[in-house]
């Protein structure tokens, strides 16, 4: 699990670098590799669930780390804790990267919208009945002309 989690972590880091460099083909290729690695990680998480519910597993504790500590496997529990930390920080980085890529994917359209003075679409479709829509920056250019 550590090897796969580290692989996912590295792929997310590579995708971040490729996103900054605006190399779309590399980002797409890394995305496919990331999808494969996350699939492998998910299958390992399923195996972990089987270990937790095994008849020979300690009865106290709800997580694998807690059960390992109960069984006196402190080194293995600490190692599992470090893998869990890798997964948690990679998850946070992946969510941040997704948000960044989502906004970058429409960056050109946003610039054109601003220059043309088109209405700004509402983010996440918040209710705004009766509210005026924001105007794009194109109106500023028109007024200046």
């Amino acid at each position: 699990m550590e090897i796969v989690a580290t692989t996912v972590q590295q792929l997310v880091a590579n995708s971040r670098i490729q996103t900054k460099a605006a190399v779309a083909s590399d980002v797409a290729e890394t995305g496919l590799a990331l999808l494969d690695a996350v699939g492998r990680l998910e299958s390992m998480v399923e195996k972990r669930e089987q270990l937790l519910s095994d008849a020979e597993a300690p009865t106290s504790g709800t997580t694998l780390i807690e059960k390992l500590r109960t069984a006196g496997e402190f080194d293995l529990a600490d190692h599992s804790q470090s893998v869990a930390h890798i997964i948690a920080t990679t998850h946070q980085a992946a969510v941040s990267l997704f948000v960044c890529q989502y906004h970058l994917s429409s960056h050109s359209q946003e610039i054109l919208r601003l220059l043309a003075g088109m209405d700004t679409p509402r983010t996440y479709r918040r209710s705004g009945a009766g509210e005026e829509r924001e105007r794009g920056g194109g109106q500023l250019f028109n007024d200046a002309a």
Side-chain angles (χ1 to χ4, degrees):
M1 186 176 256
E2 179 182 17
I3 292 168
V4 176
T6 304
T7 299
V8 170
Q9 183 182 42
Q10 186 61 46
L11 287 168
V12 169
N14 287 347
S15 186
R16 181 175 173 264
I17 292 167
Q18 292 160 348
T19 299
K20 287 173 100 175
V23 183
S25 60
D26 289 348
V27 171
E29 186 178 315
T30 300
L32 292 174
L34 185 59
L35 187 62
D36 179 58
V38 168
R40 288 191 316 239
L41 190 61
E42 286 176 340
S43 70
M44 290 179 176
V45 169
E46 289 174 13
K47 290 178 185 176
R48 180 194 66 142
E49 293 301 321
Q50 292 171 355
L51 287 172
L52 288 172
S53 61
D54 189 86
E56 293 182 26
T59 55
S60 63
T62 56
T63 67
L64 188 57
I65 294 169
E66 290 172 354
K67 289 185 182 273
L68 286 169
R69 291 194 195 288
T70 300
E73 297 289 339
F74 298 107
D75 290 341
L76 191 52
D78 290 342
H79 189 72
S80 296
Q81 184 72 44
S82 69
V83 172
H85 180 72
I86 290 170
I87 293 170
T89 56
T90 303
H91 176 261
Q92 185 178 16
V95 169
S96 298
L97 180 62
F98 169 77
V99 170
C100 175
Q101 288 177 342
Y102 173 79
H103 287 287
L104 283 175
S105 69
S106 63
H107 184 69
S108 296
Q109 292 172 350
E110 286 297 308
I111 291 173
L112 290 174
R113 183 192 56 73
L114 284 170
L115 292 175
M118 297 170 57
D119 286 345
T120 302
R122 296 210 178 274
T123 303
Y124 306 116
R125 302 210 184 273
R126 286 193 263 182
S127 77
E131 294 179 18
E132 288 186 36
R133 293 183 69 136
E134 295 177 32
R135 296 294 298 174
Q139 185 62 39
L140 174 68
F141 296 117
N142 291 338
D143 291 344

